[in-house]
Every structure is written in C-alpha cells, then in structure tokens.
Amino acid sequence: MKYIDEFNDPALAHRLLDEIRATATRPWALMEVCGGQTHSIIRHGIDQLLPENVELIHGPGCPVCVTPLDVIDKALEIAARPGVIFCSFGDMLRVPGTDRDLFRVKGEGGDVRVVYSPLDALDIARRNPDRQVVFFAIGFETTAPANAMAVHQARRLGLDNFSLLVSHVRVPPAIEAIMTAPGCRVQGFLAAGHVCSVMGTAEYPELAARHRVPIVVTGFEPLDILEGIRRAVHQLERGEHGVDNAYARAVRDQGNQAAMRMIEEVFEVTDRNWRGIGRIPASGWRLTDAFRAHDAEHRFDVTGIRTEEPAVCRAGEVLQGLIKPTECEAFGTACTPRTPLGATMVSSEGACAAYYLYRRMNAPAPQGSRIPQEEMNSVG
Amino acid sequence: MGHGGGGALSAELIEQVFTPAYGNPTLAALADSAVLDLGGARLAFSTDSYVVRPLFFPGGSLGDLAVNGTVNDLAMSGARPAYLSTAFILEEGVELAVVERVARAVGAAARAADVTVATGDTKVVESGHGDGVYVTTAGVGLVPDGVDIRPQRARPGDAVIVSGPIGLHGVAIMSVREGLEFGGEIASDTAPLAGLVAAMLAVTPDIHVLRDPTRGGLGASLNEIARASGTGVRLRERAIPVPDEVANACGFLGLDPMYVANEGRLVAFVPPEHAEGVLAAMRAHPHGAGAALIGECVADHPGTVVVATGLGGTRVVDLPLGEQLPRIC
C-alpha cells in the first residue's frame, strides 16, 4: 500500500518537526482526541521527537475504554444466556466487567463470536432463525452508520431475532466536557479524522470559538499527526482559534450525508455515561422508539446490574488527559494487559496499553508470568 | 483460546502445568525441538498438533502444515529431518474424500521435505467433538557435529536476519476463514526450511539461534530469544519485510504484522563476521530469496526487543498476551 510509505516519509517528518520546533516559542498542550491517534503517536515515537515545549495529552477517544461498566455487565449477562449468539468486535472481548469478561463467558459455554462488521452479525441472524443474535454496538460516529444500517436491514428483512446492545458515544460533547472540567490544561485539539469523515466539521466552529481553542482535523499516519500538530501550534502562536482541516483527503466539511441520514433514521441523541468520566449530556445515541424492538436492553430486560470499579484504577483521569498512564500507581504493577484493572489497559487503542506495550525499556517479564528467562522459549 | 495463541499465556500454561508435571533437564530447554544424545548420535526430536481451520487455504493445507511445521521445528536445531509420524484424529461424519486429500498433502509435503512418514495412528471421535480433521506429527532428525543452535546462545553483536516477508500465512488464513479480501491474492508461506538451514550451515556451523516464528509471529519469537539469552534485540522497522497485502490487512483490522503467524519463515541470530555470507546463501535459496538483515542483538535492555521506528523514535515490541483481536474502528 503506497500511502503507508508516503505518510511515513522520514525526510518530510523531520521537515515538519523542524517547523514545529521553529514555531513553538512557548509551552503548548494539545490533546489528540482519538485512541487511534494515541496509538500511532506512541507506536511511531512521535512524542519523543517533538520539542519539549509541545506536549501531547491523550484524550478519551477509545470507544472500548469509555463503554461504561454497567453496559459491559449487561453484555456479559446477555451473552451468557442460552439461545443467544452474542457478536462483538474483537477488542471488546478482554474488557473487564465487574467480575469477568466476554472471553470468560465464551469459555463457560456462551456463544460469543468475533465479527468484523455488524452486517456479519446480521448474516448470522439470518442463518440462525431460532436463536437470538445480539450485536454489541459500541463506538463513536465512525461505527454508528454501519450499526444503523444493520438494524435498518434487520427491520427490512423481518429478522426479529436481531438486536443491538447500543452504547454509542459522540465526540463534540466530550470535547465540551474536557474543556469545562476543573484542571483542564488542553489548549488545542487534534480532532479525530475518521469521526469527521462521517460527521463533517459543522459542530466544531462554535466549540473552538467558545473555548478559544484551535481544533485541527487530523488523520492517523505519522505525517498526518505531525501536520495536525504543526497547524495547531501555528494557530496558538498567533492567538487564533479556528477549525482547520488537515485531513482533506478523507474529510469534507459537510461529512458523509448518506451516513448521517442513516444515523438520524435509526438513532436519537441521549445522555451517556462514559466509563471513568461520568455522565456527559447529549453525548450518545440510542435507538429511536421506532426501532425499540431491536434494542437488546429492551428485549432482554437486563436490570439489577450492580457495578464496581477497582478503587485504585485511575483510567478516568487518563481518559480526561489529567494524568499520563505512568502516573497511576497501579500502572505496570497491579494493572497490566494480563491483569487489567481498567479498559485503557486492555483496549488496543487505550493509552495505558500503548504505554505498557511500547514504552517499557529494560522491562521485567510480564506480570503474572513466573517463567524463568531460560524457559521462555517455549512456543512453536 | 488465548492460551493457544503462542504468546505469554501459552508460555504460562506450559510453565505452570506441563513443566512441573514432566520436569527433566531436556524438557527445561523448551526449544522447538529437543536435542538428545542417543548412542553417540545427536538426535533432534519434536512433536506438534495441527488444528487449522479451514483445512485447505491459499498456498497450502492442514497436511502441508503438519509436515512442514515439524520439519521446521527440527531444522531450528540445525538438524537434518529424517522420519515423521502422523496421528489423525477424525470427527465422525467427515468425508473420506477430505481425509484422502489431507493424507495426499501429507505425502506430497513429506516428499518435498525429503522425510519419510515411518509410522502413524488414526482415531475417530464423535460428531461435534472435533473440527473435521486434526493431525499430530512427531519427527526425528540428526544434528551435525559442531552445530549448537538454541535461543540461549544469542550474543550482543549478532546479526538478526529474517528469511523473507512476514505475516503471509496468518493473513491468508484470515482472508479465507473470515471471508475478508484485502486486495490481491495472499497465499500462505508454508514451506520446509531444512534445506535453507543446511545452506546457511554450509557457510558457518556457528549459527547461534534459529527460530521459525509461527504463532505469535516474529514479535513473540524475538522476545523468547531475548529472554532466554538475557540479551536485548534492536530492530530497524524499515528493514522488516512486510508485504503490502499484509500491511493493508493489518491496517484494516488493527493488527500488528509483527505478531501475525508465519509457516515458512525463520529468524536467525548470526555472528556479525558471518552475517553477509549467511545472508547471501539464504538469498540464493528459494525459501530465503527475500531474506533481510533487520537488526542486531545488543547488551542494552536485556530481555527486551526494541524497534527503531521509521521516523527515528523507538518503541518496545512486547510478547503478545494471546491472540491478537481485531479492533473496532
């Protein structure tokens, strides 16, 4: 794939870095909203290459991380029921609920299946008319259109055995919540390119003006991120605070109209709890009354869920950019990908997982493994 | 399932369950194959079970894997593989034509690898208790005099060489199993590597480490070697051969090619003075045509694998926990 090389070009990257270095005369703190951007930043070592006065703060944009515990627990309870086929994207399977995860449910006999698209789940429903098929519909604006399409199709095909367990969240209200939170240090945002490719940029000018922050729509390859940082720093140095699209190859200001229409037909805006952060007004979607029959929460009447977060886990502060993962006392000790306390450690896009996986130089053997060094050569 | 993924959970299962139960010095080495002293001969001995789904895939089949996997485990000790056994576990109801096709693939792969299937076994389990056909193979081979290849022998300064493009087998399996198309035909790299190893040993018998990065991919194998030897490994990201199709598929699914399975690749740790010669010999062999020098063994960060990113940053390549999971978006 040619573009991967093009957007990793070291010479271009260093030219952008030089420009950022030359432009930044004061300390600036930028938040990359999306977990995919966090992952790319850490994986490519971009934060190590930036000048000291440009700090990246990791945002809440990992859909796996922010799915609230009570919804995870509902998923676990539904998935464990006989007659249910529970379909999910793979990275939800290891996310800890109060006392287990979907892998555990699968191991205990639950029919939990990894799918790559909600339409795969729909196909499973079509082929299993005597079973209840539930798709775990989580994610930001990026996954909402396909999930909406799946339930729309289910209605059209008369697949009464298909339902969604919905926990969709929206980015702009999260930016609002971050900017109004006590202790917020964020001075500019790198907005998530994939989200804007669906929703456009219409919601951002008002946010940027009200909070006096530049918002730069940014992609996910290293050069995309550096260009986003360059433009944000440029605005900050000039005292500007506008919306700038640095991902024009994928994002049009008006977004994807067909996708937005599909979302509007199936979902309506609602308040949502964000794991680790709390309730954010108007920050999510739920199925409209017209599609209530395909709402798994309604169908399975999952009530009486009691949740309990580990007291030591500071994932919420990580998600709000208030601390770095390494500042949490549990990081790398009580909390590892093997024994995650919070979703930020288990999700492939979570900030804690990124730091654990990519930044542990001179690290000891993984926690939970008591394998002596000379015996670690065991798989083949 | 994570315990079968070739990552940290697999290692934990072996260490906590099997090693205490069987404990002996030979097993404690836990290499791809055990090297045994038998009547003065140094015999390499290995066994493995194959449970791949689907049974037939672009570039190979269960039968090829069952032969090549064990042949390669023997070759990773520097051995010349000689004899194999096969044990078939058949699920009631599986079509005889399917079994025949797997058996023919075993025969063809054995001939291609120049090994003899000397003994075997067949069992049938009830319908619903298997996945069509499982095959277990065991194999023996002779280790030439002067050859001592094992993970503990990695030394700072060693050149780290991979024999060709990575990730093809894992992506080929995913493409047929999950019905995903990634643009372009992707075929498994399954191949017997004993001939390639013999060509490398002809340059120098002093190859320190060989490993075929199967489950868990290159990332897991390098971590195992780093930990077994107490050295560090430093890679150059841009030197690692990742085919476009693999990069494409991994980008789409949120997987890292470093952890995607291979079935016809090896990674070698070679003393620096022999690196050029070994690399040239590999490139002259059909199964090593795409060989590349991807990094070196270092005294820094013992037990840890680090990669220099294309942009000039660095990151750790950790042992994966279990199987990689496709991400949400």
Side-chain angles (χ1 to χ4, degrees):
Chain A
M1 212 160 36
K2 192 157 173 274
Y3 79 78
I4 287 183
D5 283 340
E6 284 173 356
F7 290 94
N8 276 292
D9 185 319
L12 281 176
H14 284 282
R15 208 175 304 157
L16 285 170
L17 282 163
D18 287 345
E19 209 174 318
I20 293 166
R21 221 169 275 128
T23 308
T25 62
R26 283 171 284 167
W28 298 114
L30 306 175
M31 172 176 277
E32 83 279 0
V33 173
C34 175
Q37 292 169 331
T38 303
H39 189 80
S40 188
I41 287 163
I42 306 296
R43 186 174 195 280
H44 294 281
I46 289 171
D47 55 329
Q48 300 166 332
L49 302 171
L50 287 171
E52 270 184 18
N53 57 352
V54 177
E55 182 192 359
L56 291 176
I57 296 175
H58 312 308
C62 162
V64 172
C65 302
V66 300
T67 300
L69 192 54
D70 65 305
V71 177
I72 305 272
D73 284 348
K74 284 174 185 171
L76 296 167
E77 192 177 320
I78 293 170
R81 293 191 184 186
V84 167
I85 301 174
F86 193 89
C87 302
S88 171
F89 293 119
D91 50 1
M92 287 304 293
L93 266 64
R94 284 203 192 105
V95 179
T98 296
D99 57 10
R100 54 186 175 161
D101 59 22
L102 282 168
F103 261 130
R104 173 67 67 89
V105 171
K106 189 174 190 302
E108 290 167 355
D111 193 345
V112 177
R113 301 187 190 180
V114 172
V115 294
Y116 297 88
S117 153
L119 298 175
D120 295 344
L122 196 66
D123 195 44
I124 291 170
R126 195 178 49 74
R127 287 185 281 110
N128 294 274
D130 56 333
R131 308 274 299 276
Q132 284 291 328
V133 176
V134 183
F135 178 71
F136 202 173
I138 72 152
F140 285 87
E141 291 91 332
T142 42
T143 54
N147 294 345
M149 173 68 85
V151 79
H152 189 269
Q153 290 271 53
R155 161 70 57 83
R156 196 174 63 77
L157 298 169
L159 293 174
D160 296 335
N161 62 330
F162 180 78
S163 58
L164 299 181
L165 179 60
V166 180
S167 187
H168 273 299
V169 279
R170 302 170 61 236
V171 166
I175 292 181
E176 175 73 29
I178 286 160
M179 288 311 296
T180 51
C184 171
R185 296 191 299 120
V186 178
Q187 294 164 293
F189 285 94
L190 307 181
H194 291 172
V195 167
C196 296
S197 68
V198 174
M199 302 303 290
T201 56
E203 293 179 277
Y204 293 124
E206 199 265 333
L207 268 176
R210 189 149 36 87
H211 296 293
R212 305 182 63 80
V213 287
I215 299 178
V216 182
V217 179
T218 305
F220 297 83
E221 299 301 332
L223 288 188
D224 288 326
I225 291 165
L226 287 171
E227 175 62 12
I229 294 167
R230 186 190 73 82
R231 293 196 194 189
V233 169
H234 190 73
Q235 281 202 42
L236 287 167
E237 288 284 339
R238 292 161 63 119
E240 296 172 354
H241 41 79
V243 177
D244 189 2
N245 182 2
Y247 196 38
R249 71 179 186 279
V251 173
R252 288 174 298 164
D253 288 347
Q254 69 272 27
N256 182 330
Q257 297 285 323
M260 288 162 81
R261 274 196 301 276
M262 182 53 69
I263 291 172
E264 277 170 20
E265 188 176 335
V266 172
F267 293 125
E268 62 190 7
V269 171
T270 183
D271 297 348
R272 276 264 176 235
N273 282 323
W274 293 50
R275 188 170 193 176
I277 297 176
R279 199 158 193 82
I280 303 180
S283 68
W285 279 305
R286 66 179 171 208
L287 288 163
T288 63
D289 284 346
F291 287 89
R292 176 62 57 87
H294 295 283
D295 185 336
E297 286 200 59
H298 176 69
R299 176 168 297 179
F300 292 92
D301 188 28
V302 194
T303 52
I305 296 281
R306 281 204 193 148
T307 63
E308 195 180 338
E309 290 278 12
V312 68
C313 176
R314 298 176 71 183
E317 291 164 86
V318 172
L319 285 167
Q320 294 172 77
L322 299 174
I323 61 166
K324 292 261 195 266
T326 46
E327 291 172 58
C328 174
E329 293 73 14
F331 178 84
T333 53
C335 183
T336 70
R338 177 77 175 83
T339 55
L341 296 180
T344 46
M345 182 59 90
V346 72
S347 162
S348 59
E349 295 192 354
C352 295
Y355 272 73
Y356 188 89
L357 292 176
Y358 296 144
R359 285 295 156 75
R360 290 175 312 119
M361 307 290 279
N362 304 312
Q367 292 294 313
S369 167
R370 297 192 300 273
I371 302 165
Q373 287 197 343
E374 66 277 12
E375 295 180 5
M376 280 299 293
N377 53 339
S378 52
V379 292
Chain B
M1 287 301 288
H3 287 92
L9 292 176
S10 297
E12 203 171 291
L13 180 71
I14 291 164
E15 182 258 337
Q16 290 177 4
V17 177
F18 295 108
T19 308
Y22 305 160
N24 63 65
T26 304
L27 186 68
L30 287 174
D32 281 343
S33 57
V35 177
L36 315 169
D37 192 339
L38 205 66
R42 289 169 72 222
L43 203 64
F45 180 36
S46 181
T47 186
D48 211 335
S49 297
Y50 299 84
V51 295
V52 67
R53 189 167 50 86
L55 301 179
F56 307 94
F57 47 82
S61 70
L62 173 68
D64 300 310
L65 291 187
V67 171
N68 292 340
T70 292
V71 162
N72 292 347
D73 282 347
L74 296 171
M76 295 309 114
S77 298
R80 184 186 172 84
Y83 296 102
L84 295 187
S85 70
T86 66
F88 276 61
I89 295 178
L90 309 176
E91 184 184 8
E92 183 184 30
V94 67
E95 289 177 32
L96 201 56
V98 170
V99 182
E100 279 176 354
R101 205 172 149 197
V102 174
R104 279 200 303 273
V106 167
R111 283 188 292 279
D114 198 18
V115 292
T116 303
V117 180
T119 182
D121 180 48
T122 309
K123 294 282 189 296
V124 178
V125 294
E126 285 177 28
S127 177
H129 289 249
D131 210 359
V133 185
Y134 298 146
V135 178
T136 295
T137 51
V140 292
L142 278 174
V143 182
D145 286 342
V147 170
D148 180 16
I149 298 174
R150 50 196 167 90
Q152 292 81 359
R153 287 198 70 218
R155 296 281 177 276
D158 281 357
V160 179
I161 298 170
V162 67
S163 67
I166 62 167
L168 286 165
H169 175 74
V171 169
I173 292 287
M174 266 187 277
S175 68
V176 284
R177 186 155 68 195
E178 314 296 351
L180 300 169
E181 292 179 17
F182 301 114
E185 177 76 8
I186 303 175
S188 169
D189 57 8
T190 181
L193 297 175
L196 176 64
V197 170
M200 296 164 71
L201 287 172
V203 177
T204 172
D206 191 27
I207 289 171
H208 289 166
V209 187
L210 291 172
R211 198 86 182 179
D212 60 333
T214 52
R215 291 171 307 156
L218 186 62
S221 288
L222 291 174
N223 268 281
E224 290 155 15
I225 295 165
R227 288 172 191 185
S229 61
T231 62
V233 174
R234 187 173 175 83
L235 306 174
R236 287 179 295 282
E237 187 169 53
R238 289 194 159 253
I240 300 168
V242 181
D244 286 352
E245 298 88 341
V246 172
N248 197 352
C250 287
F252 175 70
L253 295 170
L255 309 179
D256 189 334
M258 290 289 283
Y259 303 123
V260 176
N262 312 275
E263 286 292 343
R265 297 286 173 256
L266 62 79
V267 60
F269 282 53
V270 179
E273 62 273 22
H274 296 300
E276 279 304 317
V278 168
L279 197 56
M282 292 173 79
R283 286 176 176 161
H285 191 280
H287 295 317
L293 178 66
I294 58 170
E296 55 275 325
C297 192
V298 295
D300 298 339
H301 50 79
T304 303
V305 181
V306 169
V307 64
T309 70
L311 301 188
T314 55
R315 73 168 191 272
V316 171
V317 177
D318 203 2
L319 190 67
L321 188 63
E323 285 191 71
Q324 292 195 95
L325 296 169
R327 71 175 175 209
I328 176 169
C329 67

